[in-house]
């Protein structure tokens, strides 16, 4: 919210300065000329207007996901009578869903064909899958821990010679506070 207000304030001051100097007609013609330019890379042609629109969609998505996550986390979830960890799961999945939809909208604004993205993602996922098996394992384990909740925040666990209480369950790793007060990141695949 501070970032949005700061950008609005800077933009307002800039507009007043441009208006007082009488540069509005020349600025409008420069902006329209800039929005009309295209970048040609091989057979792909991307208009600058599409890039600006995609950046605006990304900015709006990140801002909206932050605001909605904050409102859910601070106002709505505490008023619901949920089990521990359920609220965190709702907030996390809502943020991820909003970011995924925003990324799809940004790609649509750029004019990128979803079929080509699917083909490239399929090819990359095989290579990435072999190289990042442990990370993918921890990510999927994190989703299982958030959805099924076999363990939750506040539960005391013991692994090896250490034990402690879970303070946070993340997507890739969880934070455990030991009896000595140290916080340790434990990969979700181990939990």
């Amino acid at each position: 919210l501070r970032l949005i207000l700061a950008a609005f304030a800077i933009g307002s001051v800039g507009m007043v300065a441009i208006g007082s100097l009488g540069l509005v007609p020349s600025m409008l013609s420069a902006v329209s000329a800039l929005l009309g330019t295209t970048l040609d890379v091989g057979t792909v042609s991307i208009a600058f207007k599409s890039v600006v629109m995609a950046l605006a969609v990304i900015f709006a998505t990140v801002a909206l996901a932050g605001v909605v996550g904050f409102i859910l986390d601070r106002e709505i979830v505490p008023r619901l009578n949920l089990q521990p960890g359920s609220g965190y799961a709702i907030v996390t999945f809502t943020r991820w869903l909003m970011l995924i939809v925003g990324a799809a909208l940004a790609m649509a604004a750029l004019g990128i064909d979803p079929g080509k993205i699917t083909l490239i993602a399929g090819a990359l996922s095989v290579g990435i899958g072999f190289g990042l098996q442990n990370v993918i394992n921890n990510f999927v384990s994190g989703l299982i821990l958030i959805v099924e909740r076999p363990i939750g925040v506040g539960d005391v666990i013991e692994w090896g010679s250490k034990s402690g209480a879970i303070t946070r369950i993340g997507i890739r790793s969880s934070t455990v506070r030991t009896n000595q007060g140290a916080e340790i990141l434990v990969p979700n695949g181990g939990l």
Side-chain angles (χ1 to χ4, degrees), residues 119-173:
L119 180 66
I120 292 170
L124 286 175
S125 65
V126 173
I128 291 172
F130 284 121
L132 300 174
Q133 281 180 329
N134 197 18
V135 173
I136 301 296
N137 177 26
N138 289 328
F139 178 75
V140 172
S141 298
L143 293 177
I144 291 170
L145 289 175
I146 289 173
V147 172
E148 291 184 2
R149 295 185 306 271
I151 58 172
V153 175
D155 289 352
V156 176
I157 61 169
E158 184 175 321
W159 72 102
S161 63
K162 300 176 183 173
S163 65
I166 297 174
T167 57
R168 186 184 73 81
I169 298 175
I171 291 292
R172 194 185 60 78
S173 63

Side-chain angles (χ1 to χ4, degrees), residues 1-187:
L1 187 58
R2 284 187 215 161
L3 179 64
I4 293 170
L5 290 175
F8 180 72
I10 291 170
S12 299
V13 169
M15 291 171 110
V16 169
I18 290 171
S20 67
L21 293 174
L23 298 175
V24 173
S26 60
M27 286 298 291
L28 289 177
S29 64
V31 168
S32 65
L34 184 62
L35 290 178
T37 60
T38 60
L39 173 66
D40 296 321
V41 179
T43 59
V44 178
S45 177
I46 299 175
F48 187 73
K49 182 168 52 172
S50 299
V51 173
V52 170
M53 188 64 117
L55 290 174
V57 167
I58 290 170
F59 179 75
T61 300
V62 170
L64 190 62
V67 169
V68 168
F70 179 79
I71 291 172
L72 280 174
D73 193 34
R74 304 291 179 164
E75 295 295 328
I76 295 174
V77 170
R79 294 180 186 178
L80 301 174
N81 195 10
L82 299 174
Q83 294 179 357
S86 298
Y88 178 76
I90 291 170
V91 172
T92 302
F93 283 126
T94 303
R95 284 181 181 157
W96 277 98
L97 181 65
M98 290 179 75
L99 292 175
I100 290 170
V101 168
L105 289 174
M107 284 190 267
L110 284 173
I112 297 174
D113 182 24
K116 292 179 182 177
I117 297 292
T118 305
L119 180 66
I120 292 170
L124 286 175
S125 65
V126 173
I128 291 172
F130 284 121
L132 300 174
Q133 281 180 329
N134 197 18
V135 173
I136 301 296
N137 177 26
N138 289 328
F139 178 75
V140 172
S141 298
L143 293 177
I144 291 170
L145 289 175
I146 289 173
V147 172
E148 291 184 2
R149 295 185 306 271
I151 58 172
V153 175
D155 289 352
V156 176
I157 61 169
E158 184 175 321
W159 72 102
S161 63
K162 300 176 183 173
S163 65
I166 297 174
T167 57
R168 186 184 73 81
I169 298 175
I171 291 292
R172 194 185 60 78
S173 63
S174 297
T175 306
V176 177
R177 182 179 295 267
T178 64
N179 296 333
Q180 292 79 23
E183 288 193 346
I184 299 174
L185 288 177
V186 178

